[in-house]
Every structure is written in structure tokens, then in C-alpha cells.
Amino acid sequence: MSSTPHLALPLLAAAQAQKHVTHNEALASLDALVQLAVKERNRSAAPAAPAEGDRFLVGAGATGAFAGQEGCIALFDLGAWRFFAPRPGWRAYVEAEDLLVLFDGAEWKPFGAVPDALDNLKRLGLGTTADDLNRLSARLNAALFAALSAEEGGTGDLRFVLNKGTESAVLSQLYQSGFSGRAETGLIGSDDFGIRVSADGSQWRDALLVDRHTGVASFPSGLANVAKPNLLINGGFLVNQRRFAGGALGAGIFGFDRWKGGPGGCTLSLAADGTITLSGALEQVIDVGQAASEIGAASFAGATLTLSVEDPSAPLPVLIGSKAATIPAGSGRRSAGVTLDGSETGHIAVRLQPSTPCSFKRVKLEVGAHATPWTSTPVEIEELRCRRYYQRLAASGGTPAILGALGQRVATNSIDFPCTLPVPMRADPVLTTSGFGWWSGAPTGNQVGFYNNTGSAWVSLSGSLTAATLAAPGPSGIVLRLQASITFSGASGGVGHLYLGNQAFIALQAEL
């Protein structure tokens, strides 16, 4: 054996001459290899002016004095280059990089630093322990991701790519507080982008949905200070065609437009500031036809609806379709929401039913799980909406008033008045009157009278009076017929006007 097995140091042979040469060679090798530190690694050519004792790790494609010495340690000693072949496990400090490297038998690799690549790891935990669900886990206070610039070999861009397996799967970023979900963004159970939030980590509300086909955004829970339409008509109780003065309202009897007494009736009053005080049951029926314009469906079946009022003085029990709820007392807009059954395909009754007097203002029913702000509809528009269900035939405001349609005596016992309606009604209407009586002159109170312009005289009545419409009244017009059981005075064919006392009215209704 002429050299040591690890560092290949030369050994002295028995009776060897000039032992100092071999010994010095061994010392020089030890000086080169023990506490190994090199100037640079991956050096493919020798430096032009090396200093005595300089060491380098020879890289691939070596040329010149380093040719054929890839991976070796190059030592500049006594004006010449010497090379040492490394063994597996040798370590070296690279001065230019402040880096420790390790020879693995084939190449020099960083030692005690992040390797160039980590592939097919089962788990990775930073400051914490990863598990089978959270295979990548980190516990830290900040994280930075910076784009790799073009100068560094990158593009200057930075893009995170997240991918899921199927459309119905979830691909999201979940934001938690105390490890309980509060917000989530991403493709949540579909390929449409969404944002949803939660107060407790269990009940979630969709805040934003962006359709992947059109890019159109929707806000299922509404937008702050952006009001949704009110499904109720006359929610502010400002339209009062029936001139209801407040007080008791029997079951099924209408007071303020579109509002009628519920089962058992109710008592209600309206203050100047719009405050309603109610005890008993008051209800309005929502036309199923509104579903098409509001939610694009044939009915409200399965829809989530929210009923709200302002400043309820006490808890207010309500009924929306078949679903009962209670609006809590308090200042500002208070609400209760329900989700209708899939079987509720017809008109929807909304009932307010406090057992003891409760005051509130501005009733609103809307699609969705949350109440949005109240917006006032101009009274004239609200009245037109009400007139689809109930309207009095137009008359002047004088005393007595004059019906806004010219009448003609078509027979000895019949006077007809063709009336065009300013607002088409929801359906063919039914005639209703104040139950007036006839007066053969200028009427007062709950009386009517007909002035024959042709004969310049008030028409008198023999027998009893009935008021009706001709067959097949239409939603846009009717023919009102006043009929005497015996006769009217004057000649047939006479044309004139109907006068109404201040308590008399003729109305049409197509209420639900």
C-alpha cells in the first residue's frame, strides 16, 4: 500500500531514500484538502494570474490547464496546477458564494442550503406540521412572491395557477378567523366566479357571481344603498281611492289601496308622517305575474323573499305565503326572510298580524335574503299601479261631480255610458258602487242624477234603479248601464251627463 485510502496521501516505504520528498508531498496534500475552501466552483478555465495556494472546483467543459479535470479540486502549487479527485462526502466552502457544497460521487451540490429542486414530496410544513389534508402547511407572519425578471432568466410576470378536476368541484381561496370561515372566493361548486361571506363559518351568503359565458356580474344579496323593487303595491299607504278614514276593517274588506283585512279583520290608522298603527291581521295578495319580471320564473315557488318595515315598535309577526316569521322590534329597517316551498306556484298572500297594537312605516317585500333600502315611488305612479286592481270611474271634482263619459238614453228604461279606462285593469273588472239613489235634479250626498242636454231637463225615474255593465266588460273599457225598473222621463236618444253627489261613486275592481 503506497497511499492512504481516503486522501491518497503518499506513504513512506521501508528503507526509502529521500523520505523528506514523500513526507512533504503528503503535507502539501493535507494542506490542500483539510479544511477545504475554494475560490470558486464550476470553473471551466484556469485563471490568468492565480496566487500560490489558490484552489478551484473544476466545472464541466473544462479547457486549457483544466482540461479533463471536471469535478476535481485544482490547486496552484509551486507555479503549477495540481488536481485532486474528490471522494463522496467531501465538503468545500466556496468563498465567492459564501456556500458549502458536498460531493455526492458525481457532482458538487449545495450543502446546508435549499437544494435546486425538490420533487415528489409527500408533505411540506414551514413552521408547522403538514398532514394528509393540508400537505403544504405554513405558519408565518408574511409571505412574498416576486416575479422572476428577464435579466434573471424569467419573463417579469407572476401568475398563480389553480386547477380543479370537475365543474361541480370547489376551487377557492378561503379566508378564516379563528379557523372559522368568513369569506371565500373562486369557482365554488361551478365554473362561475363567486365571492361569498359567512358570519359563523356554516351559513354562507353569495355576494358576487360573475357568469363565465357573458362576464355579467350579479349581486344576489344586493348592493349597499341600491334598493330592489318592492313587490308590494302602496307599501307607504299613500293611495286611498276608497277614502278609508282608518279604524276597523273587516276580513276581506279593502281600506287603503291593495290592503284588506285579514282573517278576523283589523284596526289600523295612518299618521301624517306615514306611521301605521295596526292590531289584528292586514294583508295584500301579490300577483304571481310579477314573478316573471322580478326573477324570470313562472311563479315565486322556491324563492327567498324578505319582508321589512321601518321602526317597528314591537315584534311584528308576519306570514309570507305559507311561511311564518317575525320582524324584530327596533329602529331603522327591520326584516324577516323566508324561502317558499316549491308547491307555492300561485298568488302569494303577505299578512301582518300583531295581536296588540304595533306601529311601523313603509312596508317592503323583495326577492332575496336581505332587506335593501326603501325608495319612494311617485304617488301618481303608485296610484296607476293600484288602478290595475281598483279604480273609480273618472269624474270632475265639483259638487256635484260630473262623470267623465257622455251618456245616451238608448231605451225608455236604459241610459248607457261608454267609459274608456285610463289604466287597463289586471283582468275584466267587476262593477261596484256606493249604492246611490236617484235624484231628479242636482244630486247631493249619495245620489246621482242625469241631465238630458237634448231636452234641457233633469231626467226623473219611475221604479227602482240598478247599475251594471254590459256583457263582456274589457280591462281597458266598459259600458256602464243605468236601468230603471219602469222608465226614465224624456225621449229615447237623448244625450246628457251623469252627476254624482259628494258621497256617490262608481268603481271597477279586479282585486286578488
Side-chain angles (χ1 to χ4, degrees), residues 449-477:
F450 183 74
Y451 187 81
N452 188 336
N453 295 331
T454 305
S456 300
W458 288 98
V459 172
S460 61
L461 168 74
S462 295
S464 59
L465 175 71
T466 58
T469 59
L470 292 186
S476 298

Side-chain angles (χ1 to χ4, degrees), residues 7-32:
L7 296 181
L9 301 177
L11 297 176
L12 295 173
Q16 177 180 329
Q18 295 186 330
K19 293 181 173 60
H20 66 282
V21 175
T22 302
H23 179 67
N24 289 341
E25 174 69 17
L27 290 178
S29 297
L30 284 174
D31 184 67

